[in-house]
Amino acid sequence: MDTLGFTFPEMGDNYTVQYEEDQGGMEVLYDITNIFLDAVIGGNFFPDGFLSEEKFPDLQSVESNFLDEVINNAQPIVMTNIPILVCIVLGLILSVVTLIGGIIFCCCCRKNKNSNGNENGFKKVMLSILLFLLLVVTSLGCMWFFLGAKTSQSGLDKIPEDIQDILHDGDLYMNNTVDELRYLLQENFDEVIVEFQDALSKVGANFKDFTETMKNEIQLHIIIDEASSFVELITNYTAIQGQMTSVLDSYTSMTTSLENIKKVADAELPDGLGCLTSSSEICNALNGASGILDGAFPSDLASTNFPTLPDEATQQLSTLSEYLNSIEGQIDAISANAIDEYFPTIQGEIEKIKDFLTEALDGLTEPIEDIQGEIFRNDNIANSLEDIRDNYFPYFHISLLVLGSLLVVILAVFMVGMCLGSCSKQGSGISSTGSGMMFLANCLFFFLAISLFILCTAFFTVGALGEKALCKTMADPGDSELVTFVNPLISSVLTDIYNQVRPETEEGEDIAVKFDLAQLISDMHNNTAIYPLLQLHYIFNIEKLTDWRVTYGIDPLIEDARKQIDQTINELVSLESNLNKEEIKAVAKEIDGIINMIDLTPLLDEALIIAIETGKTEIEELKTQLETLITDIENNGLPVPWKEEILANLQNIIEEFDVLKGNVQGLQASLRQILNLFGDEDSKFDMAGKVEVTFALVTAAFEYFRGDAVMIFFDESVGILTKVVDDYVNHAIDAAENHIGNTGPLSNIYNATYTEICLEIIAPFNAVWSGLGWCLLMILIPVTLVVSSLKKILVAKNQPQTLRPIDTNGYRNPKAARAASSEEVPMPSYNERSSRINAYETKSYQNGPPSSYQNGPPSSYQNGRQSSYQSRPPPPYQQSTRR
C-alpha cells in the first residue's frame, strides 16, 4: 500500500510586525557613538565565575544570595567595571571643574588690557577663524543631539503600537501552533481511522485471494478433482456395466428376432419349402441374416463381462473425496470472515489512540492558552504603555528640546559676538559689545554646564548600561554573560513547569531540562519547529509513538490472531493422519486388476461401429430382398401368412441395430473416458498410479501448510494494517520536529524588538548624550580658550600713532620725559580755547587743579619757551577737531 498522504491545515499568515534595520544616515552617528561605547562596555559586568551555575543554580538562590555575593565581591565588580565608572566619575569631575572654571572665567576675564593693535590684528583674524570652525564643529554635536532626540522620541512614540503588533503576532503564532497541533493529533488521525477501515477491507479481500492462491499452490483443485474422479470411476464403471448390458440386450434382441424369423419361416412354409428342409431363396436369405449379425457384432464380444468392483472401493474412495473436500473447507474457513475472526477489536483499539492524543493535546495547549491569556491577550500592557507615552514621554521630549535650544542659543550668541567683534574696529563699542556677548554666553554656559554634565553622565549611564545589558545581549547572545547566567535559571523554571504538566511515567521520576538561550535564539532564527526548540519531548515524547503497538495494546491483539491462524493450520495439518493411504492404494490396485482382466480393445475398436452400420445396411437389403421374394410368391398365387411377422422381426433387427450402435458408442465413450483418466500408454488401467500421484500432491500440500507461507502472509496483512498508523507516526514525528510552530514569526518578532528598542530608542538615546557631551566638551575647553583670547584682543585699546615730546624741566620724576599721547592732552572747551593753562590740563577736577599746577607752569615756560611753544601750530587732531 502506498504511503498515506496527509492533509495540512490552512494557517493564517496576517502577521503585522514590520521593521527596518537600515537606519539611514543615523547609522553614522550610531557608529561614532559605538566606537566610544565599545571601548567602555567591551568587558563583562561581573568578574569571571561570579555568575556561575554553582552559585546561582535557580531563582531561589538568586533571590537569597545575589545581594550578599555582590557585597562580598564589591571590589572585583568595581575593577571589572572600571571603564564605565571612570566615565561616570569623569562626568561628575567635569561638572565640578565647570563650576570652578566658570568662577575663574567670570572673575579673571573682565580686566581689559591695552595692546598693540598692529600686533593683535593678525591674532584676531586667526582666532576668529578658529572660533568659527570650533562653533561649526560644536554645532554638529548639537545637530547630533537633536537628531538623536527626535529619533528616540519617534521610537518611544511607536512603542505601544509596536508592542500591540508584537502581541498580535505572538498570539497569532500561538494560535497557528495550537491549530497545527490540533490538526495533527485529531484531523490527521481521523484520516488514519478512515484509512485503517479501508486497510481492514483490503486485508479481508487479501485473505480470500491468499486462500485461493494457496489452493492453487498446493493444487488442491487437482487433488479434489482426482479424488472425485476416483468416485466417478466407480459410478462410471457401474454405468459401463449398464451400457454393456444394454449392448448385450440389443444383440440378444436381434438374435432372438432372427431366430423367430427362422422359426416362423420353417413352420409356415409349405412342405418342401422350409428353410431347414429346403434351399429356396427365402431360406438362403434368412440363413444369410445370421452371418450379417455375426459380422456386425462378433460373438466373442457378446461374451464380454465387466465384473462387479469390491464394495469397500466405493466407501474408501468416497471417504477420500469427502476428506479432501473438508480440507478445502478448512482452507476457505481461514478467509471466510478473517477480520471478525482474527481482528475483532483492533479498530476499536486504534480509535482509542485518538482519545489519548486528545488528552496529550490538552496537556500541550492548556499552558499555551494560559500564556496567551496572560501576555498576548492582555490589553493592560498596551494600555499602560500608551498611558506612559501620553503622560510622560512628551515632557521628556520637550525637556530635550529646551535643553538643545539653550545650547543653540549659546552657540548663536557666541557666533553673533564673534561676528560683531571680528567685523568691527578693535576697542570700538561694537567690538566691546561682541566681546561682552561672548563673555555672557560663556558665563551662561558655565552656569548650565554644571547640571548638563551631570545630566549627560546620567544619560550615558542609562544608555551604556542599556546598550550592554540589552542590545549587546540580543545582538550576540552567545557571548553574553547574562545569557550564560540566566540559562540555569530558565532551565530550573522550565524543569518545574515540565514536571508539573508532563504525563506521569514512573513514579518518583523527575526530569532535568537544560536550556541554552543562545542556542535557542539561534535555532529560532533558523526557523526551527517549536517542539525541538522548547524540548517539548519532556512533556510529550512523540518518538514513543513508534511503540504504539505496545503502548496501546495492539501487539497482544496481533499475537492472538497469530495464534488463531496457527491453530487453524495445525488442525488442517492434523487431517493428514486421518487419511488411510494404504487401504486406498490397495483398493486402487484391486480395481486395476479387475478392469485389466477385460479386453477392452475390441470394444474400443472404431471398426465396431462401422460393422454395426454395415450390418444394419445388409439387414435392410435383406428385408428388401425378402419383400421381393414374398411378392413373387404371392404373385404365384400362394399365400404367405408369415409375411408380416417376418418383416416385423426384420424391422426390429434394423431398429435394434440403431440401439446397438448408440449403446456401443456410449460404452466406447465411457471406456475412453476412464482410460484417459486412469489408463497408461498401453491402454492399461492404472488407477493405482493416479492414486500415488494424488497422494504425492496431498503430501506436498501438507508440507506447504507446515511451512511459513501462511505466517508470512499473515505478517504482510498485519503490516498493511499497522503501516497506516506507522505512516501517521512518521508524519507526526516529522511534523513535530520540522514543521509545527516554525519559529520564523518569532524570529521576526525578535528582530523587530531589537530594532525597536536598540536601533530606534537606545541608539538614538546614546546619540543624545554623545551629542550633548560633544557640545559641552567643545565649549568647555577649546571654545572657552579661544573666546578668552579673542575677548582680550577685542576689548584692548590701541596706542595712537601721533605723539609729541614733553619737556621734563621742572619735574623731579625723570619718567616725565616721555612721549605723551594726544589723548592725554585735553581738548580746550570753546570758552577756554585761548587759555594756555587749560590746554595742558588732562582732567577736570571738581576741587580745583592739583597743587603742582596752582603755582603756574614750570620755569621752562617762563624762560622764553612758552611763547615759542604756544606759537606752534596746533596738532593735527586738534585741527581736525576744530573742523
Side-chain angles (χ1 to χ4, degrees):
M1 184 176 64
D2 295 335
T3 301
L4 178 62
F6 292 95
T7 59
F8 294 90
E10 295 182 1
M11 295 290 101
D13 58 353
N14 53 330
Y15 291 100
T16 58
V17 171
Q18 297 179 352
Y19 64 94
E20 181 58 54
E21 288 184 333
D22 186 6
Q23 299 300 308
M26 291 298 294
E27 290 187 0
V28 178
L29 302 182
Y30 301 158
D31 293 339
I32 295 173
T33 304
N34 289 334
I35 292 174
F36 172 74
L37 276 179
D38 290 340
V40 173
I41 63 175
N44 294 327
F45 278 124
F46 299 95
D48 294 340
F50 180 81
L51 298 178
S52 63
E53 186 175 356
E54 290 76 13
K55 291 183 178 180
F56 307 106
D58 50 33
L59 285 177
Q60 184 178 0
S61 62
V62 175
E63 295 173 356
S64 60
N65 301 330
F66 187 79
L67 184 59
D68 294 337
E69 290 291 337
V70 170
I71 295 173
N72 296 333
N73 294 272
Q75 183 177 357
I77 293 175
V78 170
M79 297 302 296
T80 303
N81 293 278
I82 282 294
I84 296 179
L85 295 177
V86 166
C87 293
I88 295 173
V89 172
L90 180 61
L92 299 177
I93 291 175
L94 287 175
S95 178
V96 176
V97 169
T98 302
L99 174 62
I100 299 173
I103 295 173
I104 295 173
F105 179 81
C106 294
C107 295
C108 298
C109 291
R110 292 187 300 170
K111 184 177 181 181
N112 298 332
K113 295 183 180 180
N114 295 331
S115 60
N116 191 338
N118 296 328
E119 298 176 355
N120 292 334
F122 177 75
K123 290 182 179 180
K124 182 178 74 172
V125 172
M126 296 306 297
L127 289 175
S128 297
I129 294 173
L130 179 59
L131 180 59
F132 174 78
L133 295 177
L134 290 174
L135 291 177
V136 170
V137 174
T138 305
S139 65
L140 294 177
C142 191
M143 178 190 66
W144 191 339
F145 174 86
F146 276 109
L147 289 175
K150 181 179 181 299
T151 306
S152 62
Q153 182 61 36
S154 298
L156 292 173
D157 289 341
K158 292 195 307 178
I159 282 182
E161 289 76 13
D162 290 342
I163 293 299
Q164 190 67 39
D165 290 341
I166 288 173
L167 295 178
H168 168 271
D169 284 11
D171 187 50
L172 178 60
Y173 171 78
M174 292 293 187
N175 287 336
N176 287 345
T177 301
V178 171
D179 289 343
E180 287 176 330
L181 282 172
R182 182 173 290 108
Y183 199 93
L184 173 66
L185 299 180
Q186 291 185 348
E187 278 75 5
N188 281 155
F189 200 81
D190 288 339
E191 297 172 9
V192 170
I193 293 175
V194 173
E195 186 68 18
F196 193 81
Q197 293 173 347
D198 294 340
L200 285 174
S201 300
K202 183 178 179 63
V203 168
N206 287 349
F207 262 91
K208 294 184 181 297
D209 294 340
F210 173 72
T211 53
E212 292 300 323
T213 302
M214 181 169 61
K215 288 190 290 186
N216 292 331
E217 288 286 337
I218 64 176
Q219 304 182 51
L220 182 62
H221 294 297
I222 296 177
I223 295 173
I224 293 175
D225 289 343
E226 290 291 335
S228 298
S229 69
F230 297 157
V231 177
E232 289 176 1
L233 171 64
I234 304 300
T235 303
N236 292 337
Y237 186 81
T238 302
I240 289 172
Q241 286 179 317
Q243 289 172 335
M244 189 64 192
T245 301
S246 299
V247 168
L248 295 177
D249 289 343
S250 296
Y251 179 75
T252 302
S253 176
M254 287 188 294
T255 57
T256 300
S257 295
L258 184 60
E259 291 297 330
N260 290 335
I261 291 172
K262 290 180 179 182
K263 289 179 181 179
V264 170
D266 290 340
E268 298 295 334
L269 288 176
D271 293 337
L273 297 177
C275 290
L276 298 177
T277 61
S278 176
S279 58
S280 65
E281 292 183 7
I282 293 176
C283 292
N284 292 333
L286 292 175
N287 290 329
S290 298
I292 294 172
L293 188 59
D294 292 339
F297 194 82
S299 58
D300 55 345
L301 291 179
S303 61
T304 301
N305 182 32
F306 284 88
T308 302
L309 298 178
D311 294 336
E312 64 271 13
T314 302
Q315 180 181 358
Q316 290 288 347
L317 295 178
S318 298
T319 301
L320 174 62
S321 179
E322 293 173 357
Y323 169 81
L324 294 176
N325 285 323
S326 68
I327 292 177
E328 184 179 25
Q330 289 277 8
I331 294 174
D332 290 338
I334 295 175
S335 61
N337 198 10
I339 300 303
D340 294 336
E341 186 74 19
Y342 307 119
F343 308 106
T345 61
I346 190 169
Q347 183 172 348
E349 295 299 326
I350 293 297
E351 292 176 354
K352 288 180 182 179
I353 298 177
K354 183 179 178 181
D355 298 333
F356 173 81
L357 295 178
T358 301
E359 294 177 1
L361 175 65
D362 294 337
L364 288 173
T365 57
E366 286 178 1
I368 294 176
E369 291 174 352
D370 292 340
I371 294 174
Q372 286 180 284
E374 294 177 2
I375 299 178
F376 296 109
R377 297 175 183 172
N378 188 355
D379 295 334
N380 293 331
I381 297 175
N383 293 335
S384 299
L385 291 175
E386 288 180 359
D387 292 339
I388 293 173
R389 179 193 65 185
D390 297 338
N391 296 329
Y392 300 103
F393 287 174
Y395 299 108
F396 173 76
H397 184 55
I398 292 173
S399 300
L400 292 181
L401 292 179
V402 171
L403 179 60
S405 299
L406 291 176
L407 292 175
V408 171
V409 169
I410 291 174
L411 293 177
V413 172
F414 272 128
M415 187 65 72
V416 172
M418 181 203 69
C419 292
L420 291 176
S422 300
C423 297
S424 62
K425 186 177 180 181
Q426 180 178 336
S428 64
I430 296 176
S431 178
S432 297
T433 300
S435 175
M437 292 178 67
M438 289 189 290
F439 178 76
L440 177 63
N442 234 146
C443 292
L444 178 61
F445 165 76
F446 280 113
F447 174 75
L448 294 175
I450 299 172
S451 59
L452 291 180
F453 270 115
I454 296 176
L455 182 63
C456 184
T457 302
F459 282 4
F460 161 76
T461 303
V462 174
L465 294 179
E467 177 73 19
K468 180 177 179 61
L470 188 60
C471 298
K472 294 293 185 183
T473 299
M474 293 185 69
D476 191 5
D479 291 337
S480 173
E481 62 174 342
L482 298 180
V483 171
T484 305
F485 170 65
V486 301
N487 280 339
L489 307 183
I490 296 176
S491 299
S492 174
V493 172
L494 291 179
T495 296
D496 294 338
I497 294 175
Y498 285 7
N499 279 318
Q500 292 175 2
V501 301
R502 72 186 178 93
E504 295 184 1
T505 53
E506 298 180 4
E507 185 177 357
E509 180 185 1
D510 287 332
I511 59 174
V513 183
K514 293 294 183 181
F515 264 96
D516 185 350
L517 186 58
Q519 185 62 43
L520 186 144
I521 294 173
S522 176
D523 291 340
M524 180 182 67
H525 290 314
N526 291 329
N527 200 29
T528 303
I530 194 70
Y531 182 84
L533 186 75
L534 297 182
Q535 303 181 41
L536 295 180
H537 61 275
Y538 286 114
I539 298 178
F540 176 68
N541 189 357
I542 200 168
E543 292 286 347
K544 289 186 177 180
L545 286 178
T546 55
D547 297 329
W548 64 275
R549 291 168 53 172
V550 176
T551 305
Y552 305 114
I554 304 301
D555 272 351
L557 299 179
I558 295 174
E559 190 60 31
D560 290 343
R562 183 188 298 276
K563 291 179 180 178
Q564 195 169 352
I565 289 285
D566 190 59
Q567 181 180 356
T568 301
I569 297 301
N570 290 334
E571 291 175 357
L572 189 61
V573 171
S574 66
L575 293 177
E576 185 178 15
S577 62
N578 299 330
L579 181 61
N580 195 343
K581 297 181 181 180
E582 297 301 325
E583 291 182 2
I584 295 174
K585 290 179 181 179
V587 168
K589 289 180 180 180
E590 184 177 358
I591 292 174
D592 288 343
I594 292 173
I595 295 178
N596 286 329
M597 291 173 60
I598 304 170
D599 185 8
L600 300 177
T601 303
L603 290 174
L604 295 174
D605 193 354
E606 294 290 340
L608 181 60
I609 300 298
I610 298 173
I612 292 173
E613 292 175 348
T614 302
K616 176 185 176 183
T617 303
E618 290 177 351
I619 292 296
E620 288 176 344
E621 293 176 351
L622 176 64
K623 178 183 177 184
T624 303
Q625 182 182 0
L626 287 175
E627 288 176 345
T628 302
L629 291 174
I630 290 172
T631 302
D632 291 340
I633 292 173
E634 288 178 342
N635 290 335
N636 293 326
L638 294 176
V640 185
W642 40 264
K643 170 185 175 181
E644 297 297 332
E645 185 174 0
I646 289 177
L647 294 177
N649 282 304
L650 288 174
Q651 184 63 35
N652 182 59
I653 292 173
I654 293 171
E655 293 176 355
E656 285 296 334
F657 263 112
D658 290 334
V659 174
L660 178 62
K661 177 182 177 181
N663 290 333
V664 170
Q665 286 178 336
L667 177 62
Q668 287 181 338
S670 298
L671 290 174
R672 288 191 182 96
Q673 181 181 359
I674 63 173
L675 287 175
N676 287 334
L677 292 174
F678 302 100
D680 57 16
E681 62 275 5
D682 297 328
S683 297
K684 294 294 184 180
F685 202 77
D686 190 17
M687 183 180 179
K690 287 290 185 180
V691 170
E692 287 288 347
V693 173
T694 302
F695 283 161
L697 292 176
V698 171
T699 301
F702 282 110
E703 290 298 325
Y704 180 88
F705 296 148
R706 292 188 184 95
D708 57 359
V710 177
M711 286 301 142
I712 290 175
F713 166 76
F714 176 79
D715 292 338
E716 290 174 352
S717 300
V718 170
I720 291 174
L721 296 177
T722 58
K723 186 177 186 298
V724 176
V725 183
D726 287 338
D727 287 345
Y728 170 77
V729 169
N730 294 331
H731 168 71
I733 292 174
D734 177 69
E737 294 183 349
N738 300 303
H739 302 292
I740 291 180
N742 286 123
T743 51
L746 294 183
S747 175
N748 189 65
I749 291 174
Y750 183 93
N751 293 333
T753 303
Y754 174 81
T755 301
E756 170 66 22
I757 295 177
C758 295
L759 298 183
E760 295 182 359
I761 296 177
I762 293 181
F765 183 78
N766 287 333
V768 169
W769 63 255
S770 60
L772 177 61
W774 178 268
C775 291
L776 294 178
L777 291 175
M778 290 297 296
I779 297 175
L780 177 64
I781 301 175
V783 172
T784 299
L785 292 177
V786 174
V787 166
S788 299
S789 301
L790 185 59
K791 180 179 178 298
K792 294 177 183 179
I793 296 174
L794 295 178
V795 300
K797 296 181 179 179
N798 294 331
Q799 294 180 358
Q801 298 299 321
T802 56
L803 302 177
R804 63 180 177 80
I806 300 178
D807 198 334
T808 59
N809 291 334
Y811 290 97
R812 296 179 179 180
N813 190 357
K815 291 183 180 180
R818 63 181 178 87
S821 171
S822 60
E823 295 179 353
E824 296 178 55
V825 180
M827 298 283 291
S829 64
Y830 289 104
N831 57 355
E832 296 177 346
R833 188 170 297 173
S834 61
S835 173
R836 292 177 297 179
I837 300 301
N838 289 336
Y840 293 96
E841 289 181 356
T842 61
K843 295 181 181 180
S844 62
Y845 301 97
Q846 295 178 356
N847 299 325
S851 58
S852 60
Y853 288 96
Q854 292 177 358
N855 296 325
S859 57
S860 59
Y861 291 97
Q862 298 176 0
N863 294 331
R865 295 183 180 180
Q866 181 178 2
S867 58
S868 62
Y869 181 79
Q870 290 181 349
S871 64
R872 296 177 182 175
Y877 74 88
Q878 290 180 349
Q879 295 176 4
S880 62
T881 301
R882 292 191 185 98
R883 288 194 299 268

